[in-house]
């Protein structure tokens, strides 16, 4: 079973689902939204204003489920990757990284208005940092490490935030400069919900920036375990890799990566471009995407002016984050790059060496690699699927690292969570019913115990009356009754002395100690005594009888012994009792 990742393509600044790409290590399928069509004359996307976004998400989920089943991928998508359309990354001054705090800052300062301190710059218009973001329809999170994301506890997040600031050299947690990524996520949320209803699981959610950082940053897959020689093959924590992806549809996407996590990101529109959608869509969008529509300008132009704007952003981010890339990776369709003569306004197109030379002027000490592929995004997705097959722990989200993916969408509640809440509510209702039943039983038991207490009180009164009428009028009847009991005990005659059992045993041992006698049993207690002796003949038995009659020192009164045959011998049995005490 091969790993599959999904690329969610959007339009209208990330507000409308435009299409899907289901990519595996050696396979790819595409789907086009019925809301989007292509103008054959211009090669650009057109939106259907009467379209239903929810039904489109349902159709997309059905297509994914069907494609996963036919492709042998089971019912799981390892990674849902959002494109860069509408995504904004900017820096803010905040006192924490709690999702609600970051979301409030972005919502408050998106769509116009003056900055009030959440964004540095004193009177600067906030739409310069987060332009035209739809309020309440975005995922916003700080791009930091060392924060506990597996718990919603504010205390644990604050503790991790302070540790992260210490690592970055910022001492004041109330005035920390943070990189914040805001991504319109309404289409993603609807698709995730529809996939959840269809039983399709999603391992994690991220953007094309996170995918590029996981794929093209070599330090993301470098092992931190020591080798046989004791050497740890790991890059320094501060080493940063800049990644640029030139998309054929006319967008330049870039990000900075630290150990496979996005430190900051951005994008820029390019001249030219190949349309993403193509062909008619039948059966409610369940048809696979056809080849791109041929347009007059099937090329993309990367100009020095665009790279200059990107370089300016990099310099600003370098001053804010306190780091600079030591390596740059450019993934571009070199054959589709439109090359033109340099012009004064910087609108001349650059080829791959020209792009590398422009980056060299900005990063003179960095290593620059260029990867040529006709579909840079598709190549990135295929390699991401391969990494999930080979190095799943590397590309998956890490607890405490907000740079690895979109935490809010990854942890979005689904059917399992809703079922858990429903069962919890049912259990709570059952517990309340049980507590009510117990309360009713306790009330009845209390009434029963109260009646028993009355009965016991009446019995106590009757008992005291039978003993002494004065006890009813006494404030302390128990104490008075104990006093009477003690007086009765003291008036009892002394206990009779015990009979001389030890002396009697000594006397009998002298009598029965002859070698001719074999003692079977001997018992002496306060009630009397008895013995059982085996003798060889009748003469010895008569001698024992006479000796018992004439015994001296015995306090017992012995009865006449009985003689019975026991094989070749005779058994003599005798019993005695203590005499009555005098006066008894």
């Amino acid at each position: 079973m091969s790993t599959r990742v999904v690329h969610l393509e959007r339009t209208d600044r990330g507000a409308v689902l435009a299409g899907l790409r289901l990519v595996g290590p050696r396979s790819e399928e595409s789907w086009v939204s019925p809301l989007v069509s292509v103008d054959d004359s211009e090669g650009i996307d057109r939106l259907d204003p009467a379209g239903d976004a929810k039904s489109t998400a349902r159709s997309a989920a059905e297509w994914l489920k069907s494609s996963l089943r036919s492709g042998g991928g089971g019912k799981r998508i390892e990674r849902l990757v959002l494109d860069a359309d509408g995504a904004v990354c900017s820096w803010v001054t905040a006192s924490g990284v709690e999702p609600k705090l970051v979301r409030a800052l972005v919502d408050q300062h998106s769509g116009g208005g003056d900055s009030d301190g959440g964004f540095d710059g004193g009177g600067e218009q906030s739409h310069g940092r987060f332009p035209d973001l739809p309020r309440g329809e975005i995922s916003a999170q700080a791009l930091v490490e060392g924060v506990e994301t597996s718990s919603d506890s504010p205390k644990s997040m604050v503790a991790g935030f302070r540790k992260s600031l210490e690592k970055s050299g910022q001492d004041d947690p109330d005035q920390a400069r943070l990189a914040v990524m805001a991504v319109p996520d309404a289409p993603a949320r609807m698709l995730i919900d529809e996939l959840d209803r269809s039983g399709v699981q999603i391992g994690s959610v991220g953007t094309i920036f996170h995918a590029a950082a996981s794929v093209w940053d070599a330090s993301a897959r470098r092992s931190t375990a020591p080798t046989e020689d004791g050497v740890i093959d790991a890059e320094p924590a501060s080493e940063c890799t800049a990644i640029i992806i030139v998309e054929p549809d006319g967008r330049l996407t870039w990000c900075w990566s630290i150990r496979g996590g996005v430190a900051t990101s951005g994008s820029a529109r390019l001249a030219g471009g190949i349309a993403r959608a193509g062909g008619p869509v039948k059966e409610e969008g369940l048809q696979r995407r056809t080849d791109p529509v041929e347009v007059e300008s099937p090329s993309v132009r990367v100009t020095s002016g665009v790279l200059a704007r990107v370089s300016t952003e990099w310099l600003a981010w370098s001053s804010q984050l306190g780091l600079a890339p030591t390596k740059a990776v450019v993934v571009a369709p070199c054959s589709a790059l439109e090359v033109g003569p340099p012009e004064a306004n910087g609108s001349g197109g650059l080829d791959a060496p020209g792009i590398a030379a422009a980056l060299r002027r900005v990063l003179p000490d960095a290593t620059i690699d260029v990867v040529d592929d006709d579909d840079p995004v598709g190549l990135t997705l295929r390699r991401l699927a391969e990494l999930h097959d080979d190095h799943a722990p590397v590309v998956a989200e890490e607890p405490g690292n907000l740079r690895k993916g979109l935490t809010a969408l990854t942890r979005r509640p689904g059917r399992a969570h809703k079922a858990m809440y429903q069962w919890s509510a049912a259990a709570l209702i059952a517990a309340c019913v049980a507590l009510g039943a117990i309360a009713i039983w306790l009330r009845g038991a209390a009434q029963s115990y109260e009646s028993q207490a009355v009965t016991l009180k009446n019995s106590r009164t009757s008992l005291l009356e039978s003993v002494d009428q004065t006890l009813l009028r006494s404030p302390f009847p128990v104490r008075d009754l104990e006093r009477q009991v003690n007086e009765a005990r003291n008036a009892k005659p002394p206990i009779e002395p015990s009979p001389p059992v030890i002396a009697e045993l000594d006397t009998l041992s002298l009598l029965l100690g002859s070698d001719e006698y074999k003692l079977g049993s001997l018992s002496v207690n306060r009630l009397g005594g008895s013995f059982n002796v085996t003798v060889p003949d009748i003469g010895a038995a008569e001698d024992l009888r006479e000796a018992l009659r004439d015994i001296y020192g015995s306090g017992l009164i012995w009865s006449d012994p009985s003689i019975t045959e026991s094989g070749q011998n005779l058994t003599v049995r005798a019993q005695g009792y203590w005499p009555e005490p005098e006066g008894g």
Side-chain angles (χ1 to χ4, degrees), residues 1-54:
M1 182 184 298
S2 61
T3 299
R4 313 292 285 275
V5 298
V6 173
H7 185 229
L8 192 151
E9 299 176 350
R10 300 164 297 155
T11 188
D12 194 19
R13 296 197 58 79
V16 177
L17 175 61
L20 297 175
R21 297 179 67 177
L22 181 61
V23 181
R26 289 166 297 277
S27 63
E28 178 176 350
E29 299 177 55
S30 301
W31 174 87
V32 180
S33 170
L35 299 180
V36 180
S37 61
V38 176
D39 190 324
D40 295 341
S41 62
E42 300 180 11
I44 59 177
D45 292 346
R46 298 295 186 188
L47 295 180
D48 180 8
D52 184 3
K54 188 173 182 179

